[in-house]
Amino acid sequence: MNTLKLLIPTFALSILIACSSTTTIPSASEMNVTMREITGQDGRACVQIRDISGYGAISDSVLSVSGKFQKQYIMVTVHRCPAIESSPVLAFKGAFSDFCGGGRDSVHAGEGRCPVQSVFEFENRKAAFAAHDKAEELIAERRQVAGQAVN
C-alpha cells in the first residue's frame, strides 16, 4: 500500500513533466513558416535520393539530411511524425529519382508514412543547423510575445 502511495505521485509528476516539455517543441507548421522566412527559400528544394548519404532526426517533424558534395538539407514534415525519431531506418520515397518539398514526397519510418512539406538546401551542416536554431529561437520569442499578449 505504501508503495502504491509513492507510485501514484511519481507517475503523475512524470506525466506533467512530459506534457510541459512538449509545448516547447515547435510544430511542423511553425517550423515550415519560420524556416521559409529565415532562408528566403520556398521549401521546394530537391535532392536526388541516391545523393543522400546520412540523416538524423532533430525532432518529430524535422530531419537533417546530409547529401554528397557537402550539401545539407533540413526537411520538415507536414505534421508530427514520432516514428522518424525512433525508427532505426528511414526510406525516402520521391517521384522518380528526386526527393522534393511540397508534400508529395515522403519519408517512411517503420509502418508510418511522413509526408515532407519543405526541403531547405544549405551549403554545409553548420549553415543548416544555424538556420534551424534561429528558427527555434524566433518561434520561442513569438510564443512568449503571444503569451504576454494573452495575459
Side-chain angles (χ1 to χ4, degrees):
M1 186 68 159
N2 286 336
T3 305
L4 185 59
K5 287 181 182 180
L6 288 175
L7 284 177
I8 292 173
T10 304
F11 181 71
L13 181 61
S14 65
I15 289 174
L16 285 173
I17 291 170
C19 290
S20 68
S21 66
T22 58
T23 60
T24 61
I25 298 171
S27 69
S29 60
E30 286 175 313
M31 187 57 73
N32 273 310
V33 169
T34 308
M35 286 292 290
R36 288 172 190 217
E37 290 173 12
I38 290 170
T39 65
Q41 298 179 37
D42 64 2
R44 291 186 167 268
C46 296
V47 59
Q48 289 196 333
I49 294 172
R50 71 172 184 251
D51 288 344
I52 295 174
S53 61
Y55 56 84
I58 297 175
S59 70
D60 63 359
S61 60
V62 181
L63 283 172
S64 168
V65 177
S66 300
K68 292 180 182 174
F69 316 112
Q70 302 296 322
K71 294 284 185 182
Q72 189 77 19
Y73 302 86
I74 297 290
M75 297 182 179
V76 184
T77 60
V78 172
H79 50 75
R80 292 197 186 280
C81 188
I84 64 173
E85 286 186 301
S86 59
S87 181
V89 177
L90 300 179
F92 293 85
K93 303 287 185 182
F96 307 105
S97 62
D98 287 339
F99 189 96
C100 303
R104 112 191 115 119
D105 296 342
S106 59
V107 175
H108 293 252
E111 299 294 320
R113 177 182 172 274
C114 307
V116 172
Q117 181 65 44
S118 299
V119 176
F120 301 96
E121 182 177 345
F122 299 91
E123 288 301 314
N124 55 49
R125 189 175 193 274
K126 184 177 180 180
F129 278 90
H132 177 267
D133 292 347
K134 185 174 181 181
E136 282 190 332
E137 289 171 13
L138 274 173
I139 292 167
E141 287 173 15
R142 288 176 181 161
R143 286 180 174 181
Q144 186 176 17
V145 168
Q148 290 173 352
V150 172
N151 294 330

